[in-house]
């Protein structure tokens, strides 16, 4: 490359290859499907991820990243079930965030202590319900908790299986065990 070639000349729209009409239609269809998916699935996905990471702000970041990753990947390859794929991407991002958080917590020295929070018991029923649900979820292992939360968000057994990379039969077993544990503690 000589000095005259630097900086490289940008290609004008005339220099670029013409886009095939079929490709444009596929991209428009993909965009429409993803926008519909965003509108219909974002609240439920956000709720599921919030339950996993226990942080609204972090859950919103994860959901946004999951939609962006799904959009980018869907342009490159065909994805049969966008909803299940989206949940799987978001689930994996949440697990990564939890791992990072755990590493950060473990890095804190033992001499640093946290003040116990001085919270008075709330009389509101919603607070009691939230505590009951959190206590019930704490009884479950990760697979049971994930299956139960995804099912509560309306995913089918097959979709849950795709998200967690397990069979639909395994989803059924984990759900049954989870429900049994929660019922036995109530």
């Amino acid at each position: 490359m000589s000095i005259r070639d630097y900086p490289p000349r940008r290609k004008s729209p005339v220099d670029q290859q013409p886009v095939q009409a079929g490709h444009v239609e596929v991209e428009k269809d993909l965009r429409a499907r993803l926008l519909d998916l965003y509108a219909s699935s974002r609240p439920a996905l956000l709720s599921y991820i919030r339950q996993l990471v226990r942080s609204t702000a972090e859950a919103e970041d994860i959901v946004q990243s999951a939609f962006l990753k799904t959009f980018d990947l869907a342009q490159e390859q065909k994805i049969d079930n966008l909803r299940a794929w989206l949940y799987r991407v978001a689930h994996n991002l949440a697990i990564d965030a939890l791992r990072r958080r755990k590493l950060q917590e473990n890095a804190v020295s033992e001499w640093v202590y946290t003040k116990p929070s001085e919270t008075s018991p709330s009389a509101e029923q919603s607070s009691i319900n939230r505590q009951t649900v959190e206590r019930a979820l704490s009884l479950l292992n990760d697979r049971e908790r994930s299956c139960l939360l995804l099912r509560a968000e309306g995913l089918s057994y097959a979709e849950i299986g795709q998200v967690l990379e397990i069979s639909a039969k395994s989803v059924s077993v984990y759900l049954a065990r989870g429900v049994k544990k929660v019922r036995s503690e109530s």
Side-chain angles (χ1 to χ4, degrees), residues 132-160:
T132 304
V133 169
E134 287 176 358
R135 196 170 31 253
L137 289 176
S138 71
L139 300 172
L140 307 177
N141 66 37
D142 290 339
R143 289 283 184 177
E144 293 165 345
R145 183 180 314 107
S146 294
C147 286
L148 198 58
L149 290 172
L150 287 169
R151 186 66 180 154
E153 295 302 335
L155 270 69
S156 69
Y157 285 23
E159 289 174 326
I160 295 169

Side-chain angles (χ1 to χ4, degrees), residues 97-143:
L98 290 171
R99 286 180 183 145
R100 279 191 307 274
R101 185 187 305 161
K102 188 172 183 177
L103 285 173
Q104 289 172 351
E105 289 172 358
N106 290 340
V108 177
S109 301
E110 287 184 20
W111 59 268
V112 176
Y113 71 96
T114 309
K115 272 188 170 180
S117 61
E118 297 176 16
T119 57
S120 59
S122 175
E124 296 179 19
Q125 188 62 36
S126 63
S127 177
I128 293 170
N129 290 342
R130 185 175 50 246
Q131 290 171 356
T132 304
V133 169
E134 287 176 358
R135 196 170 31 253
L137 289 176
S138 71
L139 300 172
L140 307 177
N141 66 37
D142 290 339
R143 289 283 184 177

Side-chain angles (χ1 to χ4, degrees), residues 18-181:
V19 177
Q20 297 174 354
H23 180 70
V24 171
E25 291 301 318
V26 169
E27 191 171 316
K28 283 182 182 178
D29 179 52
L30 174 64
R31 242 185 231 145
R33 286 176 50 213
L34 285 169
L35 286 174
D36 288 344
L37 181 65
Y38 183 84
S40 64
S41 297
R42 184 184 181 279
L45 180 60
L46 183 60
S47 175
Y48 169 65
I49 298 300
R50 188 181 309 119
Q51 288 289 327
L52 287 178
V53 298
R54 302 187 189 275
S55 165
T56 301
E58 191 170 15
E60 288 174 351
D61 290 344
I62 289 170
V63 168
Q64 180 178 353
S65 295
F67 271 102
L68 291 173
K69 283 182 183 245
T70 300
F71 180 75
D72 289 344
L73 192 63
Q75 289 179 326
E76 297 171 10
Q77 67 185 33
K78 184 176 178 353
I79 300 173
D80 293 328
N81 187 338
L82 280 174
R83 183 176 182 224
W85 183 267
L86 175 66
Y87 268 83
R88 181 162 172 192
V89 169
H91 177 83
N92 290 344
L93 289 171
I95 296 301
D96 290 345
L98 290 171
R99 286 180 183 145
R100 279 191 307 274
R101 185 187 305 161
K102 188 172 183 177
L103 285 173
Q104 289 172 351
E105 289 172 358
N106 290 340
V108 177
S109 301
E110 287 184 20
W111 59 268
V112 176
Y113 71 96
T114 309
K115 272 188 170 180
S117 61
E118 297 176 16
T119 57
S120 59
S122 175
E124 296 179 19
Q125 188 62 36
S126 63
S127 177
I128 293 170
N129 290 342
R130 185 175 50 246
Q131 290 171 356
T132 304
V133 169
E134 287 176 358
R135 196 170 31 253
L137 289 176
S138 71
L139 300 172
L140 307 177
N141 66 37
D142 290 339
R143 289 283 184 177
E144 293 165 345
R145 183 180 314 107
S146 294
C147 286
L148 198 58
L149 290 172
L150 287 169
R151 186 66 180 154
E153 295 302 335
L155 270 69
S156 69
Y157 285 23
E159 289 174 326
I160 295 169
Q162 286 179 338
V163 170
L164 300 177
E165 297 179 319
I166 58 177
S167 69
K169 180 67 177 168
S170 295
V171 170
S172 174
V173 170
Y174 284 124
L175 285 171
R177 285 181 190 164
V179 169
K180 186 177 178 181
K181 283 181 184 178

